Amino acid sequence: MSYEKIIADNKAWIDEVFTKLDKKLSRTAVTSRNKIPYTTKDGVHDDRSGNPHGWTNGFWGGLMWLMYEATKNEDYKLTALKSEEFMDKAFGEMDQFYHDVGFMWHILAGANYKLTGDMAARNKDILCAMSLMSRYNIDGNFIRSWNNHWQGQNNENWTIIDCMMNIPILYWASEQIGDERFKSIAIRYADMAMRDHVRPDGSVNHIVVHDMKKADTVLETKAGQGYAVGSCWSRGASWALYGFILSYIYTKEERYLDTAKKVAHYFITNLELNDWKPLCDFRAPEEPVYYDSTAGAIAACGMIEIAKNVPEYEKNIYLSAAMKLVKSLEKNFCNWEENEDSILQMGTEMYTNGIHKPIIYGDYFFTEAILKLRGSEFLPW
Ligand code: GLY
């Protein structure tokens, strides 16, 4: 079935979900304007605006920009700008920056620049790209992920698959400044992740530990936010799936498209086994059953982008899977009630902690997926 036919067959459902999104988000855009929400407590958004260094802090404003682009409702824009204002404090403490600048600023200040042309926002996004580039370890040939934020932890030689979603800021900066070095480092990272994080069967290692002094080495892998070493944390897989198709979109290197497809095939097979409800880890004991709705929403966005970038007779595989996935998320995990600020429930922070709760990036990626299905070509990444 063609891309257009799948969308046409599902148009009524997509429009209905968009209306529900706009109804809830146009309300919370006003009631949560002076917050940066992460989750909800008793149905009300919490507030992380006091800590501008949190990796999830860009998603609320980013979500507001997505909805502004779709509706031109000024309430969304005002809330996105307020979010960016809260986050500006972080630029006074750039030594605390880490690899998550893409999640934090590219979909916030970067989206602001793309939609309004604001040059101060562009400048912030470029500073973030410079900060990410400065984390490149020349000898080991990798980008350092975190800082030593846990007591006694030395993670200077760790990479995490999540960073595949941060390197698009480097491709973007290369285009903006006309300087190939940003792109060159992003390509090095994507090649490392393809070799060391993605396994031959399409499952994914969350954390890889490298030799600081010798390029292209793996000392060990770690379970990270998944069940165990060798398991497959589903959100990590979804970061890979979406991240590799984004690398393909920026570089047109076929190996990244092939890698995105490989991870998607593994992801889809596991979803089919479980009624299209994403487990938190695809390679964990049958009990307890832990879901992670956020992994599904991220993967749906990636699958839609894969569908747009493969030849005609392959599109059906990825778009049909994305449709089944968002429909399952909507049916099983969305809350449209007025007395709950969040939308997508049953997100999971990691296999051992923060199980089954609404998390802001779940709402962000679910909305991004619905807007893509509705025809939006706006790509904040
Ligand atoms: N980037 C951290 C996470 O996905 O939880």
Side-chain angles (χ1 to χ4, degrees):
M1 207 187 292
S2 73
Y3 190 101
E4 292 72 24
K5 174 96 169 72
I6 295 170
I7 296 293
D9 285 354
N10 289 284
K11 188 176 180 318
W13 181 86
I14 295 165
D15 287 347
E16 186 192 319
V17 175
F18 173 73
T19 302
K20 289 196 272 192
L21 282 171
D22 191 30
K23 183 159 182 253
K24 180 168 282 204
L25 289 169
S26 58
R27 176 178 68 77
T28 54
V30 177
T31 56
S32 299
R33 178 159 300 152
N34 292 315
K35 296 178 180 180
I36 298 187
Y38 172 73
T39 186
T40 57
K41 190 164 185 307
D42 301 326
V44 179
H45 273 149
D46 67 348
D47 179 20
R48 303 276 170 109
S49 61
N51 170 24
H53 292 287
W55 80 270
T56 60
N57 279 357
F59 288 109
W60 173 238
L63 174 57
M64 295 293 106
W65 281 124
L66 290 179
M67 289 303 290
Y68 175 72
E69 197 271 334
T71 64
K72 298 295 174 284
N73 174 347
E74 287 288 313
D75 272 331
Y76 290 125
K77 181 176 170 182
L78 289 173
T79 306
L81 291 174
K82 186 73 200 172
S83 222
E84 195 176 319
E85 194 185 310
F86 283 132
M87 298 276 288
D88 280 350
K89 288 190 221 109
F91 284 92
E93 303 163 326
M94 281 188 75
D95 59 320
Q96 290 185 44
F97 276 29
Y98 48 106
H99 78 116
D100 279 328
V101 289
F103 286 126
M104 293 164 73
W105 278 281
H106 197 42
I107 56 169
L108 181 66
N112 181 2
Y113 169 64
K114 285 177 190 165
L115 294 173
T116 72
D118 184 312
M119 291 304 279
R122 175 183 180 271
N123 194 50
K124 280 180 248 179
D125 212 16
I126 285 173
L127 270 178
C128 288
M130 289 175 171
S131 130
L132 184 59
M133 192 158 95
S134 74
R135 300 182 74 79
Y136 177 63
N137 176 319
I138 298 169
D139 294 334
N141 191 28
F142 61 86
I143 296 174
R144 177 180 186 174
S145 293
W146 293 311
N147 302 332
N148 291 344
H149 53 282
W150 290 309
Q151 211 172 8
Q153 185 190 72
N154 182 359
N155 56 29
E156 63 187 345
N157 52 347
W158 293 15
T159 55
I160 69 172
I161 189 64
D162 321 29
C163 194
M164 283 304 298
M165 292 297 291
N166 289 319
I167 62 171
I169 200 174
L170 299 178
Y171 297 123
W172 171 83
S174 263
E175 288 172 1
Q176 288 290 313
I177 311 175
D179 183 334
E180 281 290 304
R181 292 173 305 150
F182 294 84
K183 182 177 177 186
S184 159
I185 287 178
I187 286 176
R188 283 162 179 265
Y189 193 87
D191 286 342
M192 179 286 296
M194 205 171 66
R195 186 188 63 232
D196 298 339
H197 283 271
V198 180
R199 305 187 189 112
D201 68 353
S203 65
V204 173
N205 288 312
H206 183 199
I207 297 177
V208 174
V209 183
H210 305 268
D211 190 311
M212 286 287 284
K213 294 283 177 202
K214 194 161 164 240
D216 306 338
T217 50
V218 176
L219 298 180
E220 62 172 310
T221 62
K222 288 180 180 285
Q225 286 162 253
Y227 166 66
V229 174
S231 75
C232 184
W233 176 49
S234 62
R235 195 162 61 251
S238 69
W239 293 140
L241 194 165
Y242 197 5
F244 275 104
I245 190 63
L246 289 171
S247 272
Y248 174 74
I249 289 168
Y250 275 106
T251 65
K252 297 288 177 263
E253 294 290 347
E254 289 287 326
R255 63 187 183 278
Y256 301 146
L257 177 61
D258 289 342
T259 305
K261 284 165 64 175
K262 182 163 86 171
V263 178
H265 300 160
Y266 182 87
F267 210 98
I268 291 167
T269 308
N270 278 279
L271 288 171
E272 271 181 332
L273 284 176
N274 204 45
D275 198 22
W276 294 86
K277 296 203 288 282
L279 293 168
C280 168
D281 196 305
F282 293 136
R283 213 175 262 171
E286 276 183 31
E287 300 283 342
V289 178
Y290 293 149
Y291 295 112
D292 179 14
S293 58
T294 73
I298 298 158
C301 289
M303 288 178 203
I304 298 166
E305 292 300 331
I306 296 175
K308 290 181 187 169
N309 283 282
V310 291
E312 183 61 29
Y313 305 121
E314 280 185 72
K315 290 183 189 296
N316 182 22
I317 302 169
Y318 305 99
L319 190 60
S320 294
M323 276 309 313
K324 284 184 191 156
L325 181 46
V326 287
K327 283 192 163 178
S328 167
L329 293 177
E330 201 274 334
K331 179 168 144 246
N332 295 302
F333 300 135
C334 279
N335 181 332
W336 301 111
E337 301 298 324
E338 290 278 322
N339 61 2
E340 171 61 50
D341 282 350
S342 65
I343 297 165
L344 191 64
Q345 312 299 300
M346 305 287 275
T348 292
E349 287 167 355
M350 57 194 290
Y351 193 84
T352 50
N353 195 42
I355 293 151
H356 295 168
K357 58 198 277 190
I359 314 178
I360 191 64
Y361 45 84
D363 287 5
Y364 174 90
F365 285 102
F366 181 76
T367 304
E368 193 183 310
I370 295 296
L371 296 179
K372 284 182 199 300
L373 294 171
R374 201 168 161 262
S376 173
E377 292 294 332
F378 176 55
L379 190 62
W381 298 97

